[in-house]
Amino acid sequence: MRFDRSGGVFCHVTSLPSEHGIGDLGGGAEDFCSFLGDAGVGHWQICPIGPTLASAGESPYQSPSAFAGNPLLIDLDGLAEDSWLGEDDLEPIPDFPDDRVDYGAVREYKLPLLRTAFERFDADGSAEATTDLNAFRDREPWLADYALFRAISDARTEGAWTEWPQPLRTRDSEALSDARERHAEEIRFREFVQWTFDRQWRELRDVAAAEGVSIVGDVPIYVALDSADVWANPEVFRLDERNRPSAVAGVPPNAGDDGQRWGNPVYDWERLADRDYDWWIARFRRLFDLADVARLDHFLGFVRYWAIPADADDPAAGEWHEGPGRDLFETVERELGNAPFIAEDLGFEDPAMEELMSEFGFPGMRVPQYANWCAEGDRYQPMHYPEGAVGYTSTHDTDTWVGYFEDLPERQRDCFRYNVGAEGDRPVEWEILDEVWSSEAVLAMTTVQDLLGLGSESRFNEPGTVDGNWDWRVTEDALDDEIADRLWEFGGRHVR
């Protein structure tokens, strides 16, 4: 195993308190790290921190970059401390809701301020800051293509880069040179924003480390089609001669459903193998530069993946293909060492996948909301979690524990109470916390919503839906010393 036994809390950065309408990398995040430290919690799990788009429902899993940071998470107070914003620039602060993110209002407020900060830096930035930005450009090879991609995207009216004129779509060198010249200022702005995000993120990570907290990042296996990743690296994906997908990802039909067509381009794993998986190594290197642990979303896709012809709407038209398997992770170990991965293996019981996880010591996930509480030995009941697992009370994609429990049939609720030996009037969320923390799982994880005993109205994301996701926030006074003390006691009894 690559982990010491410990506990963790999931809370995406956007969900943290801030007076600027969205959780950011400033004081609210630092206070959350202090809460985790006071609670004796060793891990802070987040969603991907890349830019989000209104056109993709603000999903952090449909970002225009697998490498860049989300500009909306930049701490404006930090820019004021840098003297690139004045306190009066921040006024008036809109009357943002404190329990959810209004992404449109946040963009309207924050993006002009980021441009103001850039203009002042561009005009009066110190030699030291300019040198640091130049070093960031040199250190991050993805940055130039990302900044160019976003600059071109903002200037054009097409819905996606796959509809750009052919010279831009296929990256004709003369067309790219002309675009760099035409959009030079916008490119510098995008680079400044990413440098600022990177500096602030590293400062926050230092705060977390001082509290004894490791950050658990997230790696969606697929990237969005309308992304700098696909546009700048067409040879990594299965694209046709026009640089448009020839096959897209999804899952096949199963009993009771029609399957899913996700639409993300699939990888050309054979060509990647010939290149020693260079794009994936760069992606993992960047991730571990920003986080301590990585959750690999849809881990089955590294073993076998469902590829659907791009011109087919029916998921049943797809076929299974072999993934890179152990060859990829042997390459990762050669390049990056003993990388600490968590494998998202929910919904699939595949012997080859389980063998790969076992060989490399990647713990899988167990979520009690998938349990049949009346079935003896159910693998999702916490008392049956193996050491090689990460136990969750809920995840970013499930209902809260209270919401789930309220919807359970009465017999299932009775079986749950019997199985866990429920203690009188103890809140049901603390019953499951106790069970997950006392299991054999190497990591015990919960969510802020479950710590607070919140219901379905506080769910973070409901897969398959578009509206009302990714916007939940915790209020400033919700996580108090009493909750921290209770978590500390759990850790003392079970995982410390």
Side-chain angles (χ1 to χ4, degrees):
M1 294 302 298
R2 305 182 180 210
F3 300 91
D4 295 325
R5 186 168 165 78
S6 59
V9 175
F10 168 83
C11 183
H12 191 39
V13 181
T14 58
S15 295
L16 295 171
S18 165
E19 65 177 338
H20 297 140
I22 188 171
D24 57 35
L25 308 183
E30 293 179 0
D31 290 345
F32 185 65
C33 290
S34 296
F35 166 81
L36 296 177
D38 292 343
V41 169
H43 293 86
W44 172 18
Q45 182 170 340
I46 56 176
C47 287
I49 53 176
T52 62
L53 301 174
S55 59
E58 309 296 350
S59 171
Y61 295 88
Q62 291 291 333
S63 176
S65 175
F67 293 81
N70 189 344
L72 299 182
L73 304 185
I74 289 175
D75 173 31
L76 298 179
D77 291 328
L79 291 177
E81 292 172 7
D82 291 328
S83 300
W84 298 328
L85 290 178
E87 294 297 336
D88 55 339
D89 290 320
L90 305 184
E91 300 294 339
I93 299 174
D95 186 21
F96 292 115
D98 62 1
D99 60 349
R100 66 180 183 86
V101 181
D102 182 338
Y103 283 94
V106 168
R107 279 195 177 87
E108 185 176 346
Y109 173 66
K110 293 191 78 167
L111 294 186
L113 291 172
L114 293 179
R115 290 192 179 273
T116 297
F118 162 69
E119 290 165 2
R120 291 180 184 161
F121 167 83
D122 209 33
D124 301 314
S126 68
E128 180 182 3
T130 301
T131 298
D132 194 51
L133 172 53
N134 288 333
F136 178 69
R137 288 189 180 106
D138 293 340
R139 189 174 69 244
E140 303 296 341
W142 55 269
L143 180 63
D145 278 323
Y146 168 75
L148 177 60
F149 174 81
R150 295 304 301 273
I152 297 173
S153 294
D154 281 358
R156 301 202 61 84
T157 59
E158 295 92 347
W161 69 267
T162 51
E163 304 307 318
W164 291 353
Q166 182 173 342
L168 286 176
R169 189 176 71 247
T170 59
R171 297 178 57 81
D172 174 78
S173 60
E174 186 175 338
L176 294 187
S177 179
D178 179 65
R180 289 189 189 98
E181 183 177 348
R182 188 181 320 121
H183 303 298
E185 182 173 349
E186 181 69 15
I187 289 169
R188 293 201 314 277
F189 167 68
R190 295 287 178 174
E191 292 173 338
F192 167 81
V193 167
Q194 289 305 310
W195 170 63
T196 300
F197 178 93
D198 193 80
R199 288 186 306 116
Q200 291 191 355
W201 181 266
R202 291 174 191 278
E203 291 170 0
L204 177 60
R205 190 177 177 191
D206 288 343
V207 171
E211 294 288 352
V213 174
S214 296
I215 295 177
V216 181
D218 202 314
V219 183
I221 186 170
Y222 295 115
V223 298
L225 170 61
D226 192 19
S227 68
D229 307 301
V230 184
W231 175 70
N233 305 278
E235 66 281 357
V236 169
F237 302 89
R238 289 174 56 181
L239 307 182
D240 63 21
E241 67 280 357
R242 299 175 300 166
N243 276 14
R244 291 169 174 154
S246 59
V248 297
V251 291
N254 290 302
D257 67 57
D258 298 325
Q260 297 177 34
R261 185 186 186 277
W262 297 337
N264 308 75
V266 297
Y267 299 100
D268 188 334
W269 285 114
E270 290 185 6
R271 184 175 295 179
L272 275 163
D274 291 340
R275 297 161 46 141
D276 290 329
Y277 305 102
D278 56 350
W279 184 86
W280 272 97
I281 295 299
R283 186 181 186 189
F284 285 144
R285 194 183 303 279
R286 173 65 173 164
L287 179 76
F288 286 120
D289 206 27
L290 301 176
D292 304 286
V293 179
R295 189 192 81 115
L296 298 177
D297 193 43
H298 192 63
F299 189 77
L300 178 67
F302 293 108
V303 178
R304 57 187 177 98
Y305 63 96
W306 189 251
I308 305 165
D311 58 1
D313 294 327
D314 185 359
E319 294 180 338
W320 284 111
H321 295 263
E322 187 175 344
R326 70 194 309 270
D327 190 44
L328 169 63
F329 294 104
E330 285 179 342
T331 305
V332 170
E333 288 202 337
R334 284 197 306 270
E335 295 291 330
L336 304 180
N338 201 20
F341 289 121
I342 296 170
E344 189 278 297
D345 59 341
L346 298 170
F348 298 96
E349 296 184 36
D350 183 279
M353 178 180 67
E354 293 171 2
E355 181 180 345
L356 182 65
M357 291 165 57
S358 176
E359 178 180 355
F360 287 90
F362 300 159
M365 293 174 58
R366 296 289 187 275
V367 181
Q369 294 190 28
Y370 298 152
N372 179 346
W373 295 101
C374 300
E376 185 176 351
D378 186 286
R379 73 195 304 258
Y380 290 110
Q381 294 175 7
M383 64 283 292
H384 302 302
Y385 291 173
E387 181 184 1
V390 181
Y392 288 79
T393 61
S394 303
T395 75
H396 68 276
D397 276 340
T398 71
D399 203 346
T400 67
W401 179 260
V402 168
Y404 155 83
F405 194 78
E406 288 176 346
D407 283 345
L408 269 183
E410 184 175 357
R411 174 166 163 74
Q412 285 287 318
R413 291 200 299 267
D414 289 342
C415 288
F416 168 80
R417 294 188 183 97
Y418 175 80
N419 273 327
V420 306
E423 300 176 5
D425 296 329
R426 184 161 71 159
V428 68
E429 64 271 17
W430 286 97
E431 292 286 0
I432 194 61
L433 272 158
D434 201 357
E435 288 301 307
V436 171
W437 253 248
S438 63
S439 73
E440 293 297 317
V442 66
L443 298 180
M445 306 288 287
T446 189
T447 66
V448 167
Q449 291 95 320
D450 287 349
L451 287 177
L452 300 176
L454 301 179
S456 298
E457 73 283 352
S458 299
R459 181 171 182 162
F460 195 48
N461 177 52
E462 185 172 356
T465 66
V466 176
D467 298 326
N469 296 319
W470 316 113
D471 63 359
W472 180 84
R473 295 176 68 199
V474 61
T475 56
E476 188 171 3
D477 59 353
L479 294 171
D480 55 24
D481 292 343
E482 181 180 351
I483 294 176
D485 290 345
R486 198 161 187 179
L487 263 181
W488 177 274
E489 293 173 2
F490 266 49
R493 291 208 313 269
H494 302 313
V495 300
R496 294 168 67 82

